Structures are given as C-alpha cells and as structure tokens.
Amino acid sequence: QFEKRLEDFENDSKWFYENIDSLRKNKQEGKFVAIKNKRVIASNENLEIVIKLVEKQGENPGYLLIEFVYPDKTVVLL
C-alpha cells in the first residue's frame, strides 16, 4: 500500500513538472493545484480551500501532490 502511494505521488509529481506550461495556459497560474492520477482534482489561490475541496471528494490531502503553479519565469530560492 505504501509503495503504491509513493509511486503514485512520484508519477503525479513528474506529470506536474512536465505539464506546468499547460497548467499555466489553463488558468492555474498563481494557484495551488491538487493532483491525482495525473489530473487536477482541485485548485484555488488559497491552500486551505484546496485542502477542503480535496477532502469533500473523500481524498486525504496528505496522500496527494499539492503544488503551487508559479507564474512563468519566476525564480524560487530555497
């Protein structure tokens, strides 16, 4: 079970970064997106709202990829 969740998370993460430009074009720029099975299942500018939307679908946000779609050419220093 754990290995499957980890594999799904890794696949969704890879999909997110491969499709970031498409997400920006589809009005997700500046929003948090929750991804499951290579599909956006919730998005909003407010992370708390995304978490509530995910929970309303019966999903555990702790097991999903939730990322912020930064505007193009944004540099994030960690």
Side-chain angles (χ1 to χ4, degrees):
Q1 185 77 317
F2 174 77
E3 289 82 12
K4 171 82 170 99
R5 285 187 184 152
L6 184 58
E7 183 180 336
D8 290 345
F9 186 88
E10 288 173 350
N11 288 336
D12 287 338
S13 181
K14 182 178 177 186
W15 180 89
F16 172 80
Y17 288 103
E18 289 174 348
N19 291 278
I20 189 84
D21 291 331
S22 176
L23 290 169
R24 288 181 181 124
K25 289 176 188 168
N26 289 319
K27 302 182 181 178
Q28 300 300 333
E29 188 172 88
K31 295 181 180 180
F32 291 93
V33 294
I35 299 171
K36 181 179 180 184
N37 298 326
K38 302 177 183 177
R39 191 173 64 84
V40 175
I41 64 167
S43 70
N44 194 282
E45 291 93 7
N46 185 315
L47 178 59
E48 290 180 29
I49 291 173
V50 171
I51 290 170
K52 287 178 183 172
L53 291 170
V54 165
E55 289 173 337
K56 279 185 181 179
Q57 295 179 52
E59 298 291 343
N60 182 335
Y63 294 135
L64 298 177
L65 178 71
I66 299 177
E67 286 281 358
F68 187 75
V69 181
Y70 288 96
D72 194 23
K73 308 269 193 266
T74 298
V75 176
V76 179
L77 300 175
L78 302 175

